[in-house]
Amino acid sequence: MKTSGRKLTGALLAATAIAVPGGAFAADYARASFGKTPDGVEVEAITLTNGKGVSATVITYGATLQSLVAPGRDGTKADIALGFEDAEAYVKNASYFGASVGRFANRIGKGKFTLDGKTYQLALNNNGVAALHGGVKGFDKQVWKVSDIKRGPVASVTFTHVSPDGEEGYPGTLTATATYALDENNNLTITYGATTDKPTIVNITNHALFNVAGEGSAEGAMGNVLTLASDGYTPVDGELIPTGEITPVAGTPFDFRKPTVVGERLRDARDPQIVVGRGYDHNMVLTGKSGGAPRLAARLADPKSGRVLEILSDQPGIQFYTGNFIDGTMVGKSGKIYRQGDGIALEPQHFPDAPNKPAFASVRLDPGQTYSNTMVFRLTTDGKK
């Protein structure tokens, strides 16, 4: 019998509530089946909960964030992450919603890069002109293994995937991990790690699309208010590949240094970058030093409910995408059709096409090194109505 993601999440929350006696504030987890892929592989769902009404459901297919439930200022809860009701729907839609994407997130121009004098050709799975999100069967389409799971004071689950040498054209056997951890301060921390046995390139991130008004809400996500810690962005060519330049955001539709409604300048055709991206689909250069403790990168707020999502990152950039290619052909977990502008992606990562742009930070990983990307999704509320 097929079980919807909504029913699944509710059942898991109920089970967890029973498991925490006396309403004690302790982060916990519950496990359940999420169905099977069309070729019969079992997919599991792990729901992390805390004592403050926040929960995150992650599935083994793509190490995907399937649900993120957050209360508003009046305590009303809403799922703020776009997603689907079961494993079969994820396979069918291939949307990247909430997925762990790699080996190389985002685009590589012409699907080519050179490492130690050897040129590697990847699949051109982005309109035949670029490699996108790791290839035809990237990390988002793999069933990861649960390698560790813990409960409070921080509840966490770690997934592992071993990508063999040559998979999707990438050199080296790469062992990747994805850890989701929920604490009592309403922080959902996602940490990606990887090691290799040969020199390779790595750029793993999470491709969640958010709507802090609530997934599937009638008004969509374009009324969300966004603030970005970014003074510049990387403009793209007609194939959405960075030109290699960094352009100041001042005086452009890309200036979100002050809180701005996402949809306010979304259709500003006076800016050629908005035209070529069909809206926002650009890498924003984050202020502050990367590689250290995660610093505040973005703040997404819904004025009506008071829900606020802050994203902290240790990466040099964050991809800002307004769901421009969501075309109304997918039905989400709440039974609503997903349309253009129904979700906002804010993906902490290295810059797109970095292997071909020497001025961008290196994405090379050698044996003996450990790749890491840590992002924090912090849930709060704004008391102002």
Side-chain angles (χ1 to χ4, degrees):
M1 181 178 70
K2 183 183 291 186
T3 303
S4 75
R6 287 178 293 152
K7 293 179 180 177
L8 172 68
T9 303
L12 288 172
L13 290 176
T16 302
I18 294 171
V20 183
F25 277 41
D28 206 345
Y29 70 82
R31 306 174 73 162
S33 172
F34 198 69
K36 296 181 180 180
T37 64
D39 53 357
V41 179
E42 289 280 353
V43 175
E44 187 177 7
I46 296 90
T47 295
L48 309 175
T49 58
N50 70 11
K52 296 182 179 178
V54 171
S55 70
T57 298
V58 192
I59 61 173
T60 53
Y61 183 80
T64 295
L65 179 64
Q66 187 264 345
S67 169
L68 183 58
V69 174
R73 70 169 67 88
D74 65 356
T76 301
K77 297 178 185 179
D79 188 347
I80 64 170
L82 274 62
F84 303 105
E85 65 176 2
D86 57 23
E88 187 177 348
Y90 276 92
V91 175
K92 175 184 175 183
N93 289 291
S95 63
Y96 302 110
F97 292 168
S100 298
V101 289
R103 292 188 189 190
F104 196 91
N106 219 307
R107 297 173 176 89
I108 296 178
K110 298 184 179 6
K112 288 184 179 180
F113 67 94
T114 301
L115 199 61
D116 295 335
K118 182 176 179 179
T119 298
Y120 295 87
Q121 178 65 61
L122 310 173
L124 299 175
N125 63 316
N126 184 215
N127 299 323
V129 298
L132 178 67
H133 293 329
V136 176
K137 192 175 182 182
F139 288 178
D140 61 296
K141 298 176 183 67
Q142 306 284 348
V143 178
W144 296 50
K145 292 184 179 179
V146 176
S147 54
D148 189 44
I149 191 164
K150 298 175 183 176
R151 51 176 44 97
V154 178
S156 67
V157 58
T158 297
F159 303 94
T160 302
H161 172 64
V162 178
S163 176
D165 183 19
E167 183 174 63
E168 289 295 331
Y170 292 93
T173 297
L174 192 81
T175 301
T177 58
T179 298
Y180 290 77
L182 178 66
D183 66 21
E184 283 300 323
N185 293 317
N186 295 347
N187 295 309
L188 176 66
T189 301
I190 306 176
T191 305
Y192 292 110
T195 57
T196 183
D197 63 355
K198 284 184 187 177
T200 192
I201 61 171
V202 183
N203 185 31
I204 308 171
T205 192
N206 188 279
H207 198 285
L209 275 93
F210 295 109
N211 178 3
V212 286
E215 169 272 334
S217 63
E219 62 271 27
M222 295 302 95
N224 288 188
V225 176
L226 176 65
T227 312
L228 285 171
S230 173
D231 294 327
Y233 75 100
T234 53
V236 296
D237 62 21
E239 296 174 353
L240 299 181
I241 305 299
T243 62
E245 304 168 288
I246 294 177
T247 298
V249 299
T252 78
F254 294 85
D255 191 351
F256 284 86
R257 291 174 295 177
K258 295 181 179 179
T260 303
V261 174
V262 172
E264 184 175 299
R265 299 170 299 203
L266 184 68
R267 301 180 185 275
D268 189 352
R270 294 171 296 177
D271 191 303
Q273 285 294 302
I274 293 290
V275 176
V276 74
R278 301 187 189 181
Y280 298 105
D281 192 3
H282 294 75
N283 169 63
M284 310 300 295
V285 180
L286 293 176
T287 57
K289 184 179 179 181
S290 63
R295 76 281 197 204
L296 185 63
R299 184 182 190 271
L300 197 63
D302 173 41
K304 185 176 179 181
S305 69
R307 290 186 201 91
V308 175
L309 171 66
E310 293 180 332
I311 301 176
L312 289 75
S313 169
D314 62 0
Q315 298 295 287
I318 189 167
Q319 185 77 9
F320 172 34
Y321 170 59
T322 45
N324 315 328
F325 298 97
I326 303 174
D327 61 3
T329 61
M330 297 178 288
V331 178
K333 55 197 168 184
S334 62
K336 303 291 180 61
I337 293 173
Y338 287 151
R339 311 154 303 173
Q340 186 181 53
D342 273 353
I344 298 164
L346 294 160
E347 309 159 58
Q349 60 191 283
H350 274 268
F351 295 178
D353 204 36
N356 298 313
K357 301 290 190 296
F360 292 173
S362 174
V363 291
R364 179 183 177 120
L365 182 69
D366 287 311
Q369 296 178 328
T370 300
Y371 164 86
S372 180
N373 178 359
T374 299
M375 62 194 75
V376 181
F377 295 154
R378 176 177 295 163
L379 297 163
T380 63
T381 57
D382 184 345
K384 298 177 183 178
K385 292 186 179 180

